[in-house]
Amino acid sequence: EAAVTQSPRSKVAVTGGKVTLSCHQTNNHDYMYWYRQDTGHGLRLIHYSYVADSTEKGDIPDGYKASRPSQENFSLILELASLSQTAVYFCASSDGRTNTEVFFGKGTRLTVV
Amino acid sequence: AQSVTQPDARVTVSEGASLQLRCKYSSSVTPYLFWYVQYPRQGLQLLLKYYSGDPVVQGVNGFEAEFSKSNSSFHLRKASVHWSDSAVYFCAVTPRNYQLIWGSGTKLIIKP
């Protein structure tokens, strides 16, 4: 079964600190995504990637960087964490065709204090 | 610009009753349409999808959805809900490119 694994599952970070969220997929998918979920909102796309060593900006990239060192791994980096970045973050993967399923990880709950 | 609207943030239904969750989209072309479900502290899972053809599509666990081009809608239905259906349901569309556009979600609460 397709699998997307996120780590950590939860994290408390200090304002101004650096945070790295990791994602690993075993689906052999080309596309990987980082989404943010806030209460009362749907998912908002932060960054995505369709090939290793390349990332693209999504709808809300400000304050976030992404890294895709291999097809299987995709990281989200908050260089200077802020209170407004408290949210649940989801990693996902798909094979890139528009009519196919997106597979999600279980999410990382990030609290910035 | 494409958008997805789920007008009901929260829906409460008695166990055994029927259910409809609403979804309307705005797109310049007929998109591909999806319903996903999110159980507590879990990622999202696909319930069903529509690409073309029969406007009524069947999904897992007795869910179905009906596409209406004239109404730009893709409502989710279930004939008889179970307590385990309590979750947040998301409608999403992809206007034939890589990117999904998400609704804000509807939280389904099942009353015993």
Side-chain angles (χ1 to χ4, degrees):
Chain A
E1 184 174 310
V4 178
T5 305
Q6 294 182 233
S7 62
R9 292 294 314 279
S10 67
K11 183 173 180 65
V12 179
V14 177
T15 301
K18 183 177 180 179
V19 177
T20 299
L21 306 183
S22 300
C23 180
H24 178 82
Q25 56 110 349
T26 59
N27 305 327
N28 198 33
H29 285 163
D30 290 326
Y31 277 74
M32 295 187 74
Y33 312 85
W34 277 106
Y35 286 97
R36 169 178 173 153
Q37 184 179 41
D38 298 280
T39 303
H41 289 85
L43 297 176
R44 293 185 287 176
L45 183 65
I46 307 171
H47 286 285
Y48 68 98
S49 168
Y50 54 85
V51 68
D53 295 321
S54 178
T55 64
E56 306 293 333
K57 294 180 178 180
D59 298 322
I60 55 163
D62 292 345
Y64 302 95
K65 291 184 179 179
S67 173
R68 183 95 180 268
S70 64
Q71 186 190 38
E72 298 80 16
N73 295 294
F74 191 37
S75 297
L76 184 68
I77 302 144
L78 290 67
E79 295 278 4
L80 295 170
S82 66
L83 295 174
S84 64
Q85 293 177 312
T86 293
V88 179
Y89 293 85
F90 287 98
C91 179
S93 75
S94 75
D95 70 4
R97 290 178 293 156
T98 58
N99 58 355
T100 58
E101 181 176 357
V102 177
F103 292 87
F104 285 85
K106 293 187 176 182
T108 296
R109 184 173 297 273
L110 175 65
T111 303
V112 182
V113 298
Chain B
Q2 294 89 359
S3 65
V4 177
T5 301
Q6 294 181 248
D8 305 308
R10 180 184 292 239
V11 169
T12 301
V13 179
S14 297
E15 190 168 17
S18 63
L19 166 73
Q20 177 172 278
L21 301 182
R22 296 181 291 167
C23 172
K24 297 204 73 171
Y25 67 90
S26 171
S27 176
S28 56
V29 298
T30 300
Y32 298 123
L33 300 140
F34 306 83
W35 275 99
Y36 281 79
V37 60
Q38 183 181 28
Y39 297 106
R41 302 192 68 79
Q42 298 289 318
L44 282 72
Q45 305 169 32
L46 182 67
L47 265 183
L48 48 78
K49 56 191 176 186
Y50 174 80
Y51 303 148
S52 63
D54 188 338
V56 179
V57 292
Q58 304 296 322
V60 299
N61 297 331
F63 285 93
E64 67 175 29
E66 183 167 6
F67 166 67
S68 171
K69 186 173 182 179
S70 60
N71 293 325
S72 297
S73 67
F74 189 53
H75 300 330
L76 182 71
R77 303 190 299 234
K78 187 170 184 179
S80 176
V81 299
H82 186 264
W83 66 266
S84 60
D85 294 325
S86 297
V88 181
Y89 293 79
F90 290 93
C91 181
V93 305
T94 178
R96 312 208 172 199
N97 61 19
Y98 65 89
Q99 188 172 332
L100 280 168
I101 300 169
W102 296 88
S104 55
T106 298
K107 184 173 185 177
L108 176 62
I109 300 167
I110 307 296
K111 292 191 302 183

